[in-house]
Amino acid sequence: MKIVKPSSLLIAGLAAIGLTTAAHAADTITVVSWGGAYTNSQVKAYHEPWMAKTGNKINSEDYNGGLAEVRAQVEAGNVTWDLIDVELADAVRGCDEGILETLPLEELPAGADGTPAKDDFIAGTLHECAVGEIVWSTVYAYDKTKVAAAPTSLGDFFDLAKIPGKRGLRKTPKVNLEWALMADGVPADKVYEVLATPEGVDRAFAKLDTIKGDVVWWEAGAQPPQLLADGEVVMTSAYNGRLFNAIVNEKKPFDIVWDGQVWDIDLWVMPKGTKNKAAAWDFVKFSTDTQRLADQAKYISYGPVRKSSFAKVLPEMQPHMPTAPANFKNPLQNDFGFWADYGDELNERFNAWLAG
Amino acid sequence: MAAVTENDGVMRAADGTPLKQALARATRMNKMRAFLLTTPLLAFILVSFILPIGLMLFRSISAPEVAEAFPKTLEVLKQWDGEGVPGEDIYATLAAEMSDRDNRFNLGKAGTRLNYMESGFRSLMNKTTRRIKRAEAPFKDAFIKIDKRWGEADTWKTIRQAGSPYTIRAYLNAIDLTQEPSGDIVAQPEVKQIYVTLFERTIWVSIGVTVACIALAYPISYLLATLPAGTANLLMIFVLLPFWTSLLVRTTSWIVLLQTNGVINDILVWIGIVGDDNRIQMIYNMTGTFIAMTHILLPFMVLPLYSVMKTIPKDHMRAARSLGANPAIAFMRIYMPQTVPGVGAGSILVFILAIGYYITPALVGGQDGQLISNIIEYHMKKSLNWSLAAALGGILLAGVLALYWLYNRIVGISNMKLG
């Protein structure tokens, strides 16, 4: 007799009521990503050529990050997502908890210049359960028409005297605490060391306190350019690609301040028990080859994770990349290990701080 | 077939059974048939309502991860007196369980569970698991060499505590308490206290929204109930149209109206009531949450009120007037008491809906307009701490049930009228 866990029953019940989509044909895969200009770039660079090449179909869905849906689907044994674009911290955590498939990384194609995949991918962008795609950064931007003195450094974001007005920040401690410390004079390479101490956390929150009354908190990546365009804020943190889209494609009078950018990577992961593993893996191999990664950077300014793709990125896109030398002067890499450990506690404290 | 021959004073049916018995059987059959008719509904409620709630409550106390990952270690730990550092046997058992390849995913889940209790446990477990496979006896030194926390009694006490498959930790956490490794229950540090504040805020907002809805809906419903049918129907459209519109659309419309460069602020600036530099902040705070929630929940008050008012005969007021009451007295003593069932029904609807609201506060609440549901959603979707989410939900459920009980005691649930 098969014993069904009560928890999986619950989820199965929920899934039956709300979450299930129609059964897929064998050659349709569901690819889940963050929506907006970013998903658009993936559709143009990966989905359309792959569909044309293989005749398979891709059902593209949006989500707002996190592993909740993946966990629910895996625990219920009813996996409807085949491939998900996640942040590194979630990829590692999902792998540890066993809700993601381990991937045969050795099958990834070599770079266009013949370099084996494991050397062609930037260090740290391949993981047991995940294959990297892009390097992206959280930066801040301001509206050129609304500020008298243009901000140049991270410190200016916290300087209400120099630039009065509302600021937009993502409603999470991630990046905000790092920025607070960097603006308070902690060098980028010491940030996580300081943040791991109770005094460091106090210091970061004290710095955030100085602007707390003037912050508009956003949650979805599409919100900050909108807040800026509405004049709801004079400057806001945002993902660099979304800002690129607003500045270049929508001709908004925004400017990006690259100082203190916090960079991270996005990766493909597969929920454990996906029914279309072969097709999904074929798509991963296709979408992360040299050409496709370079193509993706045509549509949005997120850097490719393959070294061999850099040379193929269009010259006019180069200056918008987070990794362009002129932009990459004082960067900080998001430390997924730190956030895996302290995320729960800092989130709790952050939520309490917000509510207080 | 037996005839009705015996003559002992008992009335019998044609087949000889006592009439009383036959009647009882017929009634039972009827009851059974009626019950069978309702079984689909009962089954539906059981599967879609009672069962999920039960499972949610179960999840709030269940914590099997550590027990599944380290059954042997926990067994050995039972003998440990909790003083100083445990013996080599415990370290060796843990090392064996950590090296077991089949145990791998249990280890990840156990690390997550332990991390809820003590930040840093996840990486401690991951780091140790990676390195202990290559270590050799004595394991005690090997563990302490990997991380000095393994040499502390508290680390082991935490593991021992987490080993129990059932725990009320999530409930403690949900009311801003925590359990120390020693087993004492203490208040969370002040910087982490949030849930009690949010529960209080949620209740106050819900009460506020309910009161605002009564104040707004009462005159509207009165107007609807007393106007001629044609006009009333037209007005009714104004109530129903927003009611049928998507929640998200209405919330977003409020953002357009209320934001700093929004319609209302623009009008105020144009009239000259406020200066261009100090526009009023009406959204991304409590004001925004309150206004949008009141608007969205208003129809839930208008509809029951209207249907109750509609049934109040106009003669009552006329009779009161003819007996000498002035309009105010007549309204207060004759009309209003008759609308109480509608107010009650509307209030309980609005209040219970308000207490679980999360989309509107999430969109327009900003930092101080968040309610408890937003945190539940956060723990469901982002932190994946489902037991805490379930515990918070459990408390909310208990609150609603208590409210229902109170309502029944004071107003009487039979007095509630929805239409």
Side-chain angles (χ1 to χ4, degrees):
Chain A
M1 194 182 101
K2 196 179 158 206
I3 294 166
V4 185
K5 272 196 200 168
S7 55
S8 54
L9 260 182
L10 162 67
I11 294 154
L14 287 180
I17 293 162
L19 299 175
T20 21
T21 47
H24 303 295
D27 55 355
T28 300
I29 61 169
T30 302
V31 176
V32 182
S33 187
W34 302 74
Y38 177 50
T39 292
N40 233 2
S41 76
Q42 293 181 317
V43 168
K44 291 221 175 76
Y46 311 154
H47 300 200
E48 285 172 2
W50 186 72
M51 287 193 278
K53 185 181 156 222
T54 61
N56 293 342
K57 283 222 163 52
I58 290 178
N59 172 21
S60 175
E61 281 186 31
D62 295 348
Y63 84 135
N64 243 343
L67 290 171
E69 286 98 337
V70 185
R71 186 153 125 183
Q73 290 183 11
V74 173
E75 285 194 16
N78 183 10
V79 179
T80 56
W81 289 0
D82 298 309
L83 214 55
I84 306 142
D85 185 293
V86 297
E87 291 176 46
L88 183 55
D90 283 336
V92 174
R93 181 170 178 185
C95 203
D96 282 344
E97 293 190 17
I99 55 176
L100 300 178
E101 293 276 356
T102 43
L103 302 174
L105 298 177
E106 66 284 352
E107 291 175 16
L108 287 171
D113 51 4
T115 328
K118 68 176 170 40
D119 300 321
D120 197 23
F121 279 79
I122 301 174
T125 60
L126 283 180
H127 188 272
E128 224 187 325
C129 299
V131 178
E133 303 158 73
I134 56 155
V135 174
W136 55 276
S137 273
T138 307
V139 291
Y140 81 91
Y142 59 96
D143 188 333
K144 285 190 275 193
T145 59
K146 298 261 168 65
V147 293
T152 51
S153 72
L154 198 52
D156 292 343
F157 193 89
F158 290 83
D159 194 342
L160 284 171
K162 186 175 169 190
I163 303 155
K166 300 262 175 203
R167 287 105 165 92
L169 282 174
R170 185 177 173 194
K171 204 160 98 192
T172 154
K174 219 188 241 186
V175 177
N176 294 335
L177 294 180
E178 287 98 317
W179 274 5
L181 284 183
M182 284 162 89
D184 207 30
V186 179
D189 56 339
K190 291 272 186 304
V191 164
Y192 287 107
E193 208 174 292
V194 176
L195 210 50
T197 63
E199 303 79 42
V201 176
D202 288 343
R203 185 172 164 190
F205 275 106
K207 186 71 179 174
L208 281 176
D209 266 333
T210 61
I211 55 165
K212 187 179 179 186
D214 291 273
V215 175
V216 174
W217 302 95
W218 56 267
E219 291 193 72
Q223 274 176 294
Q226 193 59 47
L227 288 171
L228 209 52
D230 287 345
E232 202 62 24
V233 295
V234 289
M235 47 185 163
T236 179
S237 71
Y239 308 132
N240 73 292
R242 305 276 183 167
L243 290 169
F244 165 83
N245 188 56
I247 296 168
V248 176
N249 297 341
E250 291 168 13
K251 309 275 182 278
K252 298 283 186 209
F254 306 156
D255 210 358
I256 294 176
V257 178
W258 291 95
D259 182 52
Q261 57 166 298
V262 179
W263 66 279
D264 202 339
I265 54 176
D266 260 23
L267 313 94
W268 287 129
V269 296
M270 242 184 260
K272 192 156 217 125
T274 157
K275 289 171 214 79
N276 305 308
K277 195 175 173 187
W281 177 239
D282 184 63
F283 176 75
V284 171
K285 285 192 285 186
F286 177 82
S287 65
T288 56
D289 71 7
T290 305
Q291 190 56 47
R292 247 48 64 182
L293 290 180
D295 284 350
Q296 201 256 356
K298 269 186 212 164
Y299 305 104
I300 200 162
S301 60
Y302 293 134
V305 294
R306 268 189 196 259
K307 291 172 200 157
S308 60
S309 303
F310 287 142
K312 292 178 180 279
V313 172
L314 297 177
E316 66 264 31
M317 288 298 292
Q318 304 267 14
H320 299 291
M321 293 292 164
T323 44
N327 301 335
F328 213 56
K329 279 175 185 151
N330 184 24
L332 171 73
Q333 182 181 9
N334 175 46
D335 184 343
F336 71 86
F338 175 86
W339 284 109
D341 265 349
Y342 294 96
D344 292 329
E345 186 184 348
L346 289 178
N347 266 306
E348 214 163 42
R349 178 155 175 190
F350 180 77
N351 286 332
W353 174 80
L354 272 188
Chain B
M1 194 175 145
V4 193
T5 48
E6 292 142 276
N7 197 0
D8 51 2
V10 179
M11 300 270 281
R12 284 173 194 278
D15 60 354
T17 47
L19 196 57
K20 216 174 178 181
Q21 216 176 332
L23 196 67
R25 194 170 59 197
T27 322
R28 206 164 50 236
M29 287 291 279
N30 270 337
K31 271 190 183 160
M32 190 67 109
R33 211 170 295 144
F35 178 77
L36 278 176
L37 280 174
T38 62
T39 27
L41 178 68
L42 269 178
F44 180 75
I45 290 180
L46 195 74
V47 168
S48 69
F49 191 68
I50 311 278
L51 192 69
I53 289 179
L55 291 171
M56 175 197 83
L57 293 176
F58 174 75
R59 202 179 256 277
S60 68
I61 54 162
S62 138
E65 293 90 346
V66 176
E68 276 169 15
F70 306 119
K72 297 192 195 102
T73 310
L74 288 167
E75 195 58 42
V76 189
L77 257 181
K78 272 187 195 150
Q79 270 104 55
W80 178 50
D81 58 0
E83 295 298 319
V85 185
E88 170 70 16
D89 54 335
I90 294 179
Y91 284 98
T93 321
L94 184 61
E97 281 183 313
M98 278 185 160
S99 314
D100 183 1
R101 182 95 192 140
D102 296 337
N103 207 4
R104 212 190 128 193
F105 293 131
N106 287 338
L107 292 177
K109 286 178 189 156
T112 304
R113 168 65 62 181
L114 286 163
N115 208 61
Y116 291 146
M117 305 176 70
E118 182 76 45
S119 280
F121 239 110
R122 197 188 332 243
S123 68
L124 177 66
M125 298 295 283
N126 285 345
K127 182 166 75 173
T128 314
T129 307
R130 264 199 311 276
R131 294 199 207 156
I132 203 69
K133 286 171 201 155
R134 292 191 295 273
E136 284 164 17
F139 285 106
K140 187 171 181 171
D141 298 335
F143 267 97
I144 294 171
K145 205 177 146 206
I146 291 170
D147 197 299
K148 61 176 190 309
R149 274 176 285 179
W150 288 114
E152 290 161 15
D154 274 0
T155 307
W156 290 99
K157 283 184 193 160
T158 306
I159 293 179
R160 186 162 67 177
Q161 236 180 52
S164 130
Y166 297 100
T167 169
I168 54 156
R169 172 168 287 276
Y171 281 97
L172 291 178
N173 205 342
I175 50 172
D176 290 337
L177 299 173
T178 186
Q179 196 174 16
E180 291 192 325
S182 59
D184 298 338
I185 291 169
V186 295
Q188 289 268 27
E190 210 160 300
V191 289
K192 282 165 79 178
Q193 291 179 8
I194 173 170
Y195 303 113
V196 172
T197 324
L198 278 180
F199 272 119
E200 283 170 2
R201 180 189 291 169
T202 307
I203 288 169
W204 282 118
V205 168
S206 304
I207 292 175
V209 168
T210 312
V211 170
C213 279
I214 295 175
L216 292 172
Y218 207 92
I220 300 171
S221 314
Y222 183 74
L223 200 63
L224 282 172
T226 48
L227 281 177
T231 332
N233 284 343
L234 195 70
L235 278 180
M236 197 63 182
I237 297 287
F238 290 114
V239 177
L240 289 177
L241 214 58
F243 185 58
W244 291 329
T245 312
S246 146
L247 178 74
L248 223 51
V249 172
R250 280 190 282 165
T251 306
T252 321
S253 317
W254 277 112
I255 298 181
V256 175
L257 284 172
L258 294 177
Q259 63 187 348
T260 325
N261 287 307
V263 180
I264 293 179
N265 260 315
D266 280 349
I267 293 174
L268 289 178
V269 169
W270 183 68
I271 297 174
I273 295 178
V274 294
D276 201 6
D277 298 332
N278 43 27
R279 288 164 175 253
I280 308 166
Q281 180 77 30
M282 287 181 289
I283 202 134
Y284 306 123
N285 55 21
M286 195 42 114
T287 319
T289 303
F290 197 85
I291 294 175
M293 272 176 75
T294 306
H295 173 240
I296 287 163
L297 292 173
L298 195 55
F300 292 97
M301 186 66 85
V302 173
L303 295 176
L305 261 181
Y306 166 72
S307 66
V308 166
M309 286 180 177
K310 193 83 185 149
T311 60
I312 301 173
K314 292 200 174 70
D315 306 345
H316 288 189
M317 284 288 274
R318 279 200 287 265
R321 294 294 305 280
S322 74
L323 289 170
N326 66 35
I329 299 274
F331 185 81
M332 295 282 284
R333 296 195 38 195
I334 305 301
Y335 196 82
M336 238 166 57
Q338 298 192 66
T339 60
V340 166
V343 174
S347 301
I348 205 157
L349 263 181
V350 169
F351 187 86
I352 288 176
L353 283 172
I355 219 166
Y357 243 54
Y358 83 93
I359 298 178
T360 306
L363 287 173
V364 303
Q367 60 188 37
D368 60 354
Q370 301 286 303
L371 304 181
I372 194 74
S373 323
N374 297 105
I375 288 287
I376 296 179
E377 188 242 357
Y378 164 78
H379 284 301
M380 279 298 294
K381 296 195 71 174
K382 300 278 166 61
S383 81
L384 297 189
N385 193 347
W386 287 359
S387 41
L388 180 54
L392 290 166
I395 293 177
L396 209 53
L397 177 68
V400 170
L401 290 179
L403 184 86
Y404 184 82
W405 176 80
L406 206 67
Y407 181 87
N408 195 19
R409 286 292 301 270
I410 298 171
V411 186
I413 212 69
S414 50
N415 279 335
M416 185 159 106
K417 260 178 105 173
L418 284 168

